[in-house]
């Protein structure tokens, strides 16, 4: 979603080291407990709102999160691609300087340069070969953790195998179970859209 003014996306360098961020990942991985919590939150708008507010504070401070609710961090070296002024989720634009500076904010490093550096630090370079699904703008402001725990963003990106030159269709989770259509958990079970985030 394009935004301007003080709300415009700006590249952010994560405050959490790549090693620590990858380490924390296993503590928030979906399990029965988290799924139960997430299901309860969806049924309780006020609790959902408080939970989402906490998530917003934590992730904004640590990663410059903009609450797109379809979190790409685990496969972008924990550098948020939504801080890119063009909000590119599949790599940098052509305007990155040879030194790695953002075209729009030359004083900042391109989020994708940061993503590559951090993925390399964590030994996760192959993550950057994945193809990301377009953002569902109806989800903005919602909890990405709840979406993650409930499996609503299971098909946010393809496997890294696309580098082998396979066609994007059929093998790609994006197209095999297209989340753009009705069968997407995101779309099939709109979680009380009017409630928690309004
Ligand atoms: S939820 Fe979206 S905006 Fe927030 S950190 Fe993840 S990718 Fe960035």
């Amino acid at each position: 979603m394009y935004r301007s003014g003080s709300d415009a996306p700006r590249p952010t360098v994560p405050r959490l080291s790549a090693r620590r961020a990858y380490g924390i990942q296993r503590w928030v991985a979906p399990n029965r407990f988290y799924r139960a919590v997430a299901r309860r939150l969806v049924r309780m708008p006020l609790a959902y709102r408080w939970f989402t507010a906490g998530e917003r504070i934590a992730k904004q401070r640590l990663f410059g999160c903009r609450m797109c609710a379809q979190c790409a961090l685990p496969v972008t070296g924990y550098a948020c691609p939504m801080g890119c002024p063009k909000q590119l989720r599949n790599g940098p634009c052509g305007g990155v300087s040879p030194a790695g500076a953002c075209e729009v904010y030359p004083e900042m490093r391109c989020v994708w340069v940061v993503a590559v550096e951090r993925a390399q630090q964590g030994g996760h370079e192959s993550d950057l070969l994945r193809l990301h699904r377009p953002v569902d703008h109806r989800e903005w402001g919602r909890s990405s953790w709840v979406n993650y725990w409930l499996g609503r963003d299971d098909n946010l990106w393809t496997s890294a195998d696309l580098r082998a030159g396979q066609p994007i269709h059929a093998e790609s989770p994006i197209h095999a179970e297209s989340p753009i259509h009705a069968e997407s958990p995101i779309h099939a079970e709109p979680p009380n859209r009017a409630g928690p985030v309004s």
Side-chain angles (χ1 to χ4, degrees):
M1 182 179 293
Y2 178 75
R3 291 166 203 260
S4 58
S6 61
D7 195 28
R10 282 181 75 93
T12 302
V13 176
R15 292 191 177 183
L16 209 56
S17 73
R19 202 168 61 85
R20 212 165 262 184
Y22 283 115
I24 288 173
Q25 173 63 26
R26 75 181 85 101
W27 297 104
V28 294
N31 57 32
R32 281 175 64 179
F33 173 72
Y34 285 140
R35 272 190 290 274
V37 169
R39 275 196 293 267
R40 252 184 120 74
L41 286 170
V42 167
R43 287 198 299 268
M44 301 165 65
L46 186 60
Y48 184 101
R49 214 172 289 153
W50 279 103
F51 181 84
T52 306
E55 176 181 330
R56 181 190 301 269
I57 291 168
K59 288 180 70 179
Q60 262 176 0
R61 289 209 176 146
L62 292 175
F63 306 108
C65 172
R66 299 179 51 77
M67 297 299 283
C68 76
Q70 297 137 91
C71 197
L73 291 180
V75 292
T76 58
Y78 285 84
C80 174
M82 305 313 283
C84 164
K86 302 173 189 179
Q87 301 197 323
L88 299 180
R89 278 171 84 100
N90 281 295
C93 71
V96 188
S97 81
C102 172
E103 180 182 32
V104 179
Y105 298 103
E107 72 281 13
M108 308 290 298
R109 284 176 77 65
C110 165
V111 296
W112 281 102
V113 172
V114 174
V116 169
E117 291 168 348
R118 289 171 60 88
Q120 284 172 340
Q121 286 164 18
H124 289 257
E125 299 94 319
S126 64
D127 284 345
L128 299 166
L129 300 170
R130 298 168 191 274
L131 182 65
H132 288 253
R133 186 181 90 197
V135 172
D136 180 347
H137 291 295
R138 294 169 295 184
E139 290 290 310
W140 278 89
R142 300 186 61 79
S143 167
S144 67
W145 285 338
V146 168
N147 282 347
Y148 176 49
W149 292 331
L150 292 181
R152 289 183 174 139
D153 56 7
D154 276 355
N155 296 314
L156 278 182
W157 48 75
T158 64
S159 72
D161 295 343
L162 287 177
R163 69 190 148 162
Q166 295 148 331
I168 289 175
H169 49 272
E171 295 83 354
S172 162
I174 284 180
H175 293 263
E177 300 171 45
S178 174
I180 303 292
H181 305 305
E183 57 273 29
S184 161
I186 287 179
H187 298 272
E189 302 169 36
N192 239 348
R193 268 172 223 291
V197 281
S198 55

